Amino acid sequence: MYHPKCQRDIDLSDKFMPSRVMKLDATSGVLRIRLVESLPKPEPYATLSYCWGGDQELKTMRDTIESFKVDMPVHELPATIRDAAEVALQLNIPNIFVDAFCIIQDDPNDMAHQLAQMPTIYSESMVTIAGSRAKSFDQGFLHEREPLPQFFERGEVYQLPFCSPTGEIGSAILLPIHLDSVTEPLEDRAWALQERLLSPRIIDYATHQTFWHCWCVNDVRDGWLEAGFMGRNFQAQVPSLFQKPIKSLAPPKERSPASISSSSLHESELGEILNSWNTVVRIYSARKLSFPADKLPAIAAAAARFAIVLDDQYRCGLWKSYLQYQILWYTDCKDEEQLCSRTAYKAPSWSWAAIDGPVMIEWVSWHSYFTFCLEILECEVRLASDLLPYGAVESGFITAKGRIKPAMLGRRHDFGKKGAQWFLENTTREGHIIESIADVHIDALEPNLQGTWIESIRVTLLEVLTEMESHQPVGLILCEVKPETFRRIGMFNCALGRYIQFSQTDQEKERNRIRVEEGKRLFHDSDRKTLKII
Ligand SMILES: [Zn+2]
């Protein structure tokens, strides 16, 4: 099959190579592996994506690197890494990049240099070998696959004779339409997402099947095909622009916050890319990290790629030109019990990277239904390392001008759901208290929001957008930390029109109509103010 999109150039002369790879040599009949740091000319290499599943004892450290350059103890290598070397050898690829061995694990400088190279390391690889079904480095993934016992036990499997094109008689096996879907151990790991996203070609060793993913074909696998299956190929879901070679795209320039239409990209392409980023954030934020502090570093390589395509400045998981709507990310939790508490500092409160749980950023087509009310004047971050512009940050702030309004954030037990529900209440001009003027999404269980009984707390609402037709505002819930300096604690949305639609009784209808009217008038008496959000 011809693979025009994912094909690697045959000419390797100006090709990128990682600064350190594991060199595989089986010419003597016995596999020998050593670390090499500079090859006279670029050679093809494979990359490995796998679960560490704990600390690997054997890895490259400052005191082991010299001996690994001579010879690595092949038999002591963890099973997952030995399996990856075996696959690369079978494919005639003489080198493999494995993080635990190609990055000096106790050398922060080398770590920063290698992490900065990550986008290119994975995107220039011949193939990424994904050990998806191995929970840890010592499990391996080339062992025999387990059959699907549940179908055989239930007698839901049918074996029929099948005549192959060569005339051989084999069998075809019919399985039920709905297979219990398996979440592979690797699909749960935050670091693995960008490795998958950046790799043009992947051989994916999953629990029950082996998959081929690339930018040309959506779904190639051994074994069965599920009916109505949308494909697990994330590569096929990224826009075609993202697949251009990294060198053909100019690096991002400094640019003042601009409206969406001023970008050099066509608006539909831009929408597609921003929407892809929103998808990346949604998938990534739901995955697990061993170290919460890796929140920004573990998606940095993907961000670096997006920065080039978007030609934009990155700000802790958000894009500078689109902050006007991207700061309205919200936690994707069904009820309070799923909310995470805030752990160590990872990002400023206005960034989704500040919290541990799954988040959503809505699609940019909001643009045509909403009026942007908030003016972002400044957005700066202090990086932990200048080598990693998409990595960890020490601090950051946004200065913005918009309408603010004091309100009370309350919490009541809702017996239909787990935990409690949050609501905003507002005192009308006539002095009435109106409850639940908006849908409320709280970011995290802050210390002052925990406990079984909490008094309503004083918050500040900041208007970010209004719905064009109904004038219903959407914005942020802030807490004042010092005069004119705030922290984000949540997001609110006053677009409650649907409640009127679904109201049962006239009384309910009237109550909801008042709530909606109050929502619309929320910022009517407010002046525009400049404030800082940290
Ligand atoms: Zn292909």
Side-chain angles (χ1 to χ4, degrees):
M1 184 180 171
Y2 178 52
H3 282 228
K5 286 189 200 163
C6 77
Q7 198 173 36
R8 196 184 147 102
D9 287 342
I10 303 299
D11 175 22
L12 286 166
S13 56
D14 66 338
K15 272 289 165 188
F16 167 89
M17 253 209 103
S19 53
R20 202 174 292 122
V21 288
M22 291 164 75
K23 180 137 210 64
L24 314 172
D25 177 11
T27 45
S28 62
V30 181
L31 176 62
R32 285 192 57 211
I33 305 179
R34 63 193 167 93
L35 272 186
V36 291
E37 284 191 319
S38 47
L39 286 161
K41 61 181 175 57
E43 287 180 15
Y45 66 93
T47 32
L48 175 64
S49 183
Y50 69 116
C51 296
W52 278 48
D55 192 25
Q56 304 190 41
E57 242 174 64
L58 192 68
K59 56 197 170 198
T60 297
M61 307 286 271
R62 277 184 280 208
D63 63 355
T64 50
I65 185 163
E66 290 309 319
S67 70
F68 286 177
K69 282 187 203 170
V70 180
D71 206 5
M72 292 179 77
V74 174
H75 295 290
E76 289 170 37
L77 286 177
T80 300
I81 287 131
R82 275 206 314 271
D83 282 354
E86 179 64 34
V87 174
L89 268 184
Q90 294 292 327
L91 292 170
N92 265 334
I93 302 173
N95 305 288
I96 186 163
F97 177 89
V98 178
D99 55 4
F101 295 97
C102 300
I103 303 175
I104 307 170
Q105 298 295 318
D106 58 348
D107 182 342
N109 240 338
D110 189 59
M111 186 76 79
H113 274 284
Q114 298 291 342
L115 286 180
Q117 295 283 320
M118 232 22 119
T120 328
I121 292 176
Y122 279 86
S123 58
E124 292 294 311
S125 156
M126 279 294 269
V127 70
T128 291
I129 300 159
S132 294
R133 64 173 161 148
K135 284 195 187 75
S136 64
F137 56 86
D138 55 4
Q139 273 196 342
F141 53 85
L142 291 183
H143 49 274
E144 195 145 302
R145 282 190 301 232
E146 288 166 36
L148 290 163
Q150 70 266 35
F151 302 116
F152 292 99
E153 280 163 18
R154 289 188 219 141
E156 289 174 344
V157 178
Y158 301 94
Q159 192 165 352
L160 303 172
F162 175 78
C163 181
S164 78
T166 57
E168 254 176 287
I169 301 290
S171 57
I173 294 181
L174 301 185
L175 290 170
I177 289 177
H178 299 292
L179 290 167
D180 300 340
S181 64
V182 177
T183 301
E184 303 298 336
L186 193 60
E187 287 176 332
D188 221 18
R189 305 308 306 166
W191 277 100
L193 178 64
Q194 62 179 13
E195 294 164 1
R196 180 165 291 261
L197 192 57
L198 293 164
S199 304
R201 292 157 298 272
I202 300 172
I203 305 178
D204 185 359
Y205 292 88
T207 302
H208 296 300
Q209 287 178 289
T210 302
F211 297 83
W212 167 262
H213 306 298
C214 74
W215 290 341
C216 320
V217 288
N218 189 32
D219 197 32
V220 178
R221 52 171 75 202
D222 62 355
W224 71 89
L225 201 66
E226 286 149 73
F229 186 74
M230 295 304 287
R232 37 181 273 142
N233 186 356
F234 198 68
Q235 279 83 342
Q237 293 171 33
V238 296
S240 52
L241 241 172
F242 192 66
Q243 299 166 3
K244 283 189 181 166
I246 208 158
K247 284 175 202 153
S248 68
L249 294 155
K253 301 179 285 288
E254 180 66 47
R255 194 148 62 94
S256 62
S259 73
I260 286 165
S261 56
S262 76
S263 165
S264 56
L265 287 168
H266 192 272
E267 193 167 335
S268 65
E269 278 176 335
L270 181 67
E272 199 189 345
I273 297 161
L274 287 169
N275 199 30
S276 292
W277 179 252
N278 296 348
T279 307
V280 167
V281 171
R282 177 174 55 77
I283 297 173
Y284 175 73
S285 60
R287 292 187 172 205
K288 295 191 182 73
L289 274 169
S290 302
F291 305 102
D294 285 348
K295 191 77 177 191
L296 285 167
I299 197 68
R305 264 327 275 267
F306 272 87
I308 293 169
V309 183
L310 282 169
D311 186 16
D312 204 357
Q313 302 278 308
Y314 188 63
R315 295 290 182 265
C316 308
L318 308 174
W319 299 99
K320 196 176 173 185
S321 305
Y322 312 103
L323 282 171
Q324 287 153 309
Y325 86 92
Q326 289 190 332
I327 49 165
L328 288 174
W329 56 266
Y330 58 93
T331 44
D332 189 22
C333 296
K334 301 277 176 299
D335 49 52
E336 195 192 40
E337 274 202 344
Q338 293 178 327
L339 275 179
C340 301
S341 25
R342 248 178 235 271
T343 55
Y345 184 89
K346 300 179 283 288
S349 69
W350 43 264
S351 160
W352 56 265
I355 64 159
D356 291 326
V359 297
M360 298 278 281
I361 305 178
E362 292 284 354
W363 162 227
V364 71
S365 69
W366 273 24
H367 172 56
S368 38
Y369 301 105
F370 289 85
T371 310
F372 293 89
C373 310
L374 186 70
E375 201 184 334
I376 308 266
L377 304 170
E378 231 183 325
C379 174
E380 293 303 330
V381 294
R382 187 202 293 253
L383 295 170
S385 161
D386 287 338
L387 279 175
L388 300 169
Y390 305 95
V393 298
E394 281 174 358
S395 64
F397 68 88
I398 281 179
T399 319
K401 197 172 180 184
R403 296 198 292 185
I404 57 170
K405 164 96 184 173
M408 297 302 283
L409 176 69
R411 178 179 182 260
R412 81 167 91 74
H413 281 279
D414 184 335
F415 294 103
K417 293 180 176 173
K418 286 179 188 165
Q421 298 299 308
W422 296 94
F423 63 93
L424 282 174
E425 59 179 42
N426 182 41
T427 309
T428 66
R429 274 176 288 195
E430 296 80 29
H432 302 303
I433 293 176
I434 309 282
E435 265 195 13
S436 304
I437 49 164
D439 277 343
V440 171
H441 296 268
I442 291 295
D443 296 342
L445 282 177
E446 314 269 341
N448 63 338
L449 302 181
Q450 288 177 18
T452 46
W453 175 249
I454 299 157
E455 296 271 318
S456 294
I457 50 172
R458 196 174 294 281
V459 293
T460 301
L461 306 181
L462 173 67
E463 183 188 36
V464 177
L465 307 171
T466 51
E467 205 176 63
M468 242 174 223
E469 261 179 37
S470 68
H471 307 289
Q472 288 162 333
V474 184
L476 300 182
I477 306 171
L478 308 173
C479 266
E480 195 159 15
V481 284
K482 55 186 178 191
E484 283 155 31
T485 302
F486 296 82
R487 249 164 51 82
R488 178 193 150 131
I489 61 162
M491 179 263 204
F492 71 89
N493 182 353
C494 284
L496 295 171
R498 66 181 185 284
Y499 288 109
I500 301 183
Q501 209 180 333
F502 296 116
S503 302
Q504 300 278 330
T505 62
D506 285 350
Q507 205 185 357
E508 222 173 75
K509 205 170 263 181
E510 178 57 16
R511 201 169 54 230
N512 284 330
R513 194 191 60 77
I514 295 172
R515 285 167 60 197
V516 169
E517 286 309 311
E518 277 310 308
K520 285 185 197 173
R521 291 194 344 210
L522 195 56
F523 292 96
H524 277 192
D525 301 331
S526 314
D527 294 324
R528 288 175 72 78
K529 283 217 165 98
T530 302
L531 69 160
K532 190 173 180 181
I533 311 170
I534 55 171

